[in-house]
C-alpha cells in the first residue's frame, strides 16, 4: 500500500501529558498537511510543509503544538501538556504540488484519534 | 475570506432512491471545489473535483456534481444510492492558496 499512513491510529492520554503523532506521506509528494477534525465538524487546517519547510501555521496551532518534517519525508505533530479540548481526529494529507493549483489534489491518511481524559 | 456551507447536516434516504447534497461557498477569488467522503473511522477519500471547464463533474461510485458560479453552489448528486453509500460527505474549496477549507459535513444514512 503506497497511500498516506499515520501512526498511531488511536491514542488515549491523560491531561497534561505530551503526545506525538507520525505521518508518512506518499513517497514522491513534496507537500504535507495536518488537519484537525472535531466531532460533528469538517477538518480544519493546522499547518503545511513544502519539503522540510513549514510554510504556514493556522491560528488554531497554539504554542503547545509543534510540527516537524526534518528530511522532507515523514512528519511529526507533537502536542505538549494536552488538554481535553485537544481531543479530536488528527488527519494528515500529502500532495505533489506543481506550478499550478490544479496539481494540488490532497490524499488523506486514516487519521489519529486522540482522546484526552 | 472563504467559507463553505453544507445546507443539510443529515440526509436519510432509501436504497435505490436519488440523493442530493447541497453545498454553497463564498469566496473573493476563484476557487477549486471538491467533494470528499469519509467512512466510519477512516480518512477522507476524494469523490470528485471541479477545477475548470465543464460545470458538470463526474466522480467515483456514480456521483456527480454541478458547479454553478452565479449561485456559488456545488451540489452533489447520485441517481440511485446503495447501502454502502452510508457515510459522511464533505464539500471543500481551495481558494487563493493551497489549504482546503471544509464544510461541516452531511451524514447520509441509506436504509433498505
Amino acid at each position: 500500500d503506497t497511500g498516506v499512513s499515520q501512526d498511531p491510529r488511536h491514542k488515549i492520554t491523560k491531561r497534561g501529558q505530551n503526545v506525538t503523532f507520525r505521518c508518512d506521506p506518499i513517497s514522491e509528494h513534496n507537500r504535507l498537511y495536518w488537519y484537525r477534525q472535531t466531532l460533528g465538524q469538517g477538518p480544519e487546517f493546522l499547518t503545511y510543509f513544502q519539503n522540510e519547510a513549514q510554510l504556514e501555521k493556522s491560528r488554531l496551532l497554539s504554542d503547545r503544538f509543534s510540527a516537524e518534517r526534518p528530511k522532507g519525508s515523514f512528519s511529526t505533530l507533537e502536542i505538549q501538556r494536552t488538554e481535553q479540548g485537544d481531543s479530536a481526529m488528527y488527519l494528515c494529507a500529502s500532495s505533489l504540488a506543481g506550478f499550478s493549483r490544479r496539481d494540488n489534489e490532497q490524499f488523506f491518511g486514516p487519521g489519529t484519534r486522540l482522546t484526552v481524559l | 475570506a472563504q467559507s463553505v456551507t453544507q445546507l443539510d447536516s443529515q440526509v436519510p434516504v432509501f436504497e435505490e432512491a436519488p440523493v442530493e447534497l447541497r453545498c454553497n461557498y463564498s469566496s473573493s477569488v476563484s476557487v477549486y471545489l471538491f467533494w470528499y467522503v469519509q467512512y466510519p473511522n477512516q480518512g477522507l477519500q476524494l469523490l470528485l473535483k471541479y477545477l475548470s471547464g465543464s460545470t458538470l463533474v463526474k466522480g467515483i461510485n456514480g456521483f456527480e456534481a454541478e458547479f454553478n458560479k452565479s449561485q456559488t453552489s456545488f451540489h452533489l448528486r447520485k441517481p440511485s444510492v446503495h447501502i454502502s453509500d452510508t457515510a459522511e460527505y464533505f464539500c471543500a474549496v481551495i481558494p487563493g492558496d493551497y489549504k482546503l477549507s471544509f464544510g461541516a459535513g452531511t451524514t447520509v444514512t441509506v436504509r433498505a
Side-chain angles (χ1 to χ4, degrees), chain B residues 18-85:
Chain B
V19 70
E20 178 180 78
L21 309 183
R22 297 177 294 167
C23 173
N24 287 91
Y25 69 92
S26 64
S27 177
S28 57
V29 297
S30 297
V31 297
Y32 293 160
L33 295 151
F34 303 80
W35 275 99
Y36 283 86
V37 60
Q38 186 175 36
Y39 299 103
N41 298 313
Q42 294 188 27
L44 301 173
Q45 180 182 7
L46 182 67
L47 280 176
L48 49 78
K49 59 187 176 184
Y50 172 77
L51 303 179
S52 65
S54 173
T55 57
L56 183 62
V57 180
K58 294 191 182 296
I60 62 171
N61 301 341
F63 285 93
E64 63 181 32
E66 185 153 19
F67 169 60
N68 188 319
K69 186 174 182 179
S70 63
Q71 296 186 5
T72 59
S73 67
F74 190 54
H75 300 334
L76 180 72
R77 301 184 185 95
K78 184 170 182 177
S80 176
V81 296
H82 303 290
I83 296 289
S84 59
D85 291 322

Side-chain angles (χ1 to χ4, degrees), chain A:
Chain A
D1 189 323
T2 57
V4 179
S5 62
Q6 293 186 246
D7 183 69
R9 294 291 305 275
H10 303 273
K11 179 71 176 178
I12 300 174
T13 190
K14 293 182 179 179
R15 188 177 53 183
Q17 298 295 306
N18 299 343
V19 294
T20 300
F21 310 140
R22 177 179 170 125
C23 170
D24 286 89
I26 294 171
S27 59
E28 65 269 24
H29 283 184
N30 54 358
R31 287 200 168 185
L32 187 148
Y33 307 78
W34 285 99
Y35 293 84
R36 181 172 67 186
Q37 185 181 18
T38 53
L39 202 61
Q41 298 297 317
E44 296 173 294
F45 170 81
L46 292 178
T47 188
Y48 90 94
F49 294 83
Q50 174 134 343
N51 300 313
E52 66 274 12
Q54 188 173 18
L55 296 186
E56 186 172 344
K57 296 197 302 185
S58 162
R59 289 171 294 177
L60 294 175
L61 216 62
S62 75
D63 292 344
R64 296 184 297 105
F65 288 71
S66 62
E68 294 183 343
R69 194 182 184 200
K71 297 182 180 180
S73 57
F74 73 92
S75 175
T76 58
L77 177 67
E78 181 182 16
I79 309 174
Q80 296 182 328
R81 304 181 303 282
T82 53
E83 301 172 357
Q84 288 183 324
D86 297 331
S87 295
M89 174 81 88
Y90 290 84
L91 293 165
C92 175
S94 70
S95 70
L96 181 61
F99 295 102
S100 166
R101 290 184 291 156
R102 299 177 63 91
D103 303 321
N104 193 34
E105 179 177 339
Q106 295 180 27
F107 295 81
F108 283 81
T112 295
R113 182 168 295 282
L114 173 66
T115 302
V116 182
L117 301 176

